[in-house]
């Protein structure tokens, strides 16, 4: 069974602060890591798919890094804005699973105060 | 383009009543389909998945069931709801080509409150 862990569980920052949070996963048999952004009462929205060790991807003020050898990924938000408030989920495909199942972490809930 | 629909958006049901949530996908064939639930204060939990018509796999034993009567239709049901069934239910699909490393696409969700 693959365990995907996220920390912290929640985070409160002021507008303009930069922040980051962590997703950890078993490093053996790595295939991919997905980051999603989930606003309340909306669909989770895909942010990044990370596949290669050392990958760094960026979308506006949000970026993510990947270390498959040690089994972690960081998500960074530079200059947080209130509209960044959401739950950020990471997920990894089940190794050897032909059904395409993903194992999700519990998420980091970010609140940005104006 | 591919889209996914869920309804209803919100639902308030008494304990012991039946449940039927529907999910449909457009613009893709033979997708894998998934039902997830987020209970209060908890993470996203996979309930059921389906790799084809009539094929259902259950991840968590409970009083819920799922059916896939058509290729792009996925239904979540219960004969008698429990208080613990309250939560936010998400349907998701995985396109057949899996071109993005099993990236799943989510519907808008249903907020279920059991009283």
């Amino acid at each position: 069974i693959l365990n995907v862990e996220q920390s912290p569980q929640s985070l409160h920052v002021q507008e303009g602060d930069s922040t980051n949070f962590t997703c950890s996963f078993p490093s053996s048999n790595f295939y991919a890591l997905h980051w999603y952004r989930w606003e309340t009462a909306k669909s989770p929205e895909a942010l990044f798919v990370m596949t290669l060790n050392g990958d760094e991807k960026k979308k506006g003020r949000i970026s993510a890094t990947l270390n498959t050898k040690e089994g972690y990924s960081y998500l960074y938000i530079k200059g947080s804005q209130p509209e960044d408030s959401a739950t950020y989920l990471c997920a990894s495909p089940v190794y050897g699973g032909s059904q395409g199942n993903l194992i999700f972490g519990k998420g980091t809930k970010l609140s940005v105060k104006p | 383009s591919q889209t996914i629909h869920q309804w209803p958006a919100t639902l308030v049901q008494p304990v012991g009543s039946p449940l039927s949530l529907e999910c449909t996908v457009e613009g893709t064939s033979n997708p894998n389909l998934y039902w997830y639930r987020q209970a209060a204060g908890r993470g996203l939990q996979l309930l059921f998945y389906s790799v084809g018509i009539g094929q259902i796999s259950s991840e968590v034993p409970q009083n819920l069931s799922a059916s896939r009567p058509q290729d792009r239709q996925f239904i979540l049901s219960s004969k008698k709801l429990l208080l613990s069934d309250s939560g936010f239910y998400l349907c998701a699909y995985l396109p057949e080509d899996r071109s993005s490393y099993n990236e799943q696409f989510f519907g808008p969700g249903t907020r279920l409150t059991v009283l």
Side-chain angles (χ1 to χ4, degrees):
Chain A
I1 300 293
L2 182 70
N3 284 325
V4 176
E5 306 286 345
Q6 290 187 251
S7 63
Q9 186 176 355
S10 63
L11 200 51
H12 298 264
V13 301
Q14 289 294 133
E15 182 176 355
D17 288 350
S18 293
T19 187
N20 66 85
F21 24 93
T22 307
C23 173
S24 62
F25 50 88
S27 54
S28 59
N29 301 311
F30 176 80
Y31 177 54
L33 186 83
H34 297 267
W35 279 103
Y36 287 86
R37 179 174 179 275
W38 189 13
E39 287 185 66
T40 302
K42 293 186 178 179
S43 312
E45 170 197 358
L47 284 175
F48 303 112
V49 180
M50 317 288 288
T51 57
L52 299 175
N53 186 44
D55 249 359
E56 181 170 350
K57 295 199 174 181
K58 190 174 180 181
K59 185 181 288 188
R61 294 177 291 98
I62 304 177
S63 61
T65 61
L66 179 69
N67 183 322
T68 61
K69 294 183 179 180
E70 296 183 37
Y72 64 83
S73 175
Y74 292 139
L75 191 78
Y76 300 90
I77 301 179
K78 184 178 179 181
S80 302
Q81 299 296 308
E83 57 265 31
D84 296 326
S85 298
T87 296
Y88 292 83
L89 297 169
C90 67
S92 190
V94 174
Y95 172 70
S98 59
Q99 304 84 6
N101 293 7
L102 294 175
I103 302 296
F104 282 86
K106 292 185 178 179
T108 293
K109 186 172 183 179
L110 175 66
S111 298
V112 183
K113 294 183 180 178
Chain B
S1 63
Q2 299 173 5
T3 56
I4 177 169
H5 305 279
Q6 276 187 252
W7 64 90
T10 59
L11 195 57
V12 180
Q13 291 284 96
V15 169
S17 63
L19 173 74
S20 181
L21 303 181
E22 190 165 343
C23 170
T24 58
V25 180
E26 296 176 357
T28 186
S29 302
N30 198 32
N32 284 11
L33 295 171
Y34 306 86
W35 277 112
Y36 292 90
R37 175 174 66 195
Q38 186 194 35
R42 304 189 67 178
L44 207 54
Q45 180 186 37
L46 178 63
L47 301 176
F48 300 95
Y49 65 91
S50 171
V51 299
I53 296 174
Q55 300 179 61
I56 306 295
S57 296
S58 173
E59 288 290 300
V60 182
Q62 55 209 321
N63 70 317
L64 298 172
S65 62
S67 61
R68 185 171 177 175
Q70 300 180 46
D71 181 43
R72 289 170 286 181
Q73 184 185 30
F74 205 22
I75 297 172
L76 183 70
S77 303
S78 174
K79 292 182 179 178
K80 288 186 179 181
L81 284 168
L82 306 174
L83 287 174
S84 57
D85 292 324
S86 293
F88 192 72
Y89 288 80
L90 281 166
C91 180
Y93 73 95
L94 173 67
E96 185 180 28
D97 63 6
R98 302 193 187 184
S99 57
S100 293
Y101 296 88
N102 292 357
E103 178 181 331
Q104 294 179 14
F105 299 88
F106 289 85
T110 296
R111 171 72 61 190
L112 172 66
T113 303
V114 183
L115 301 174

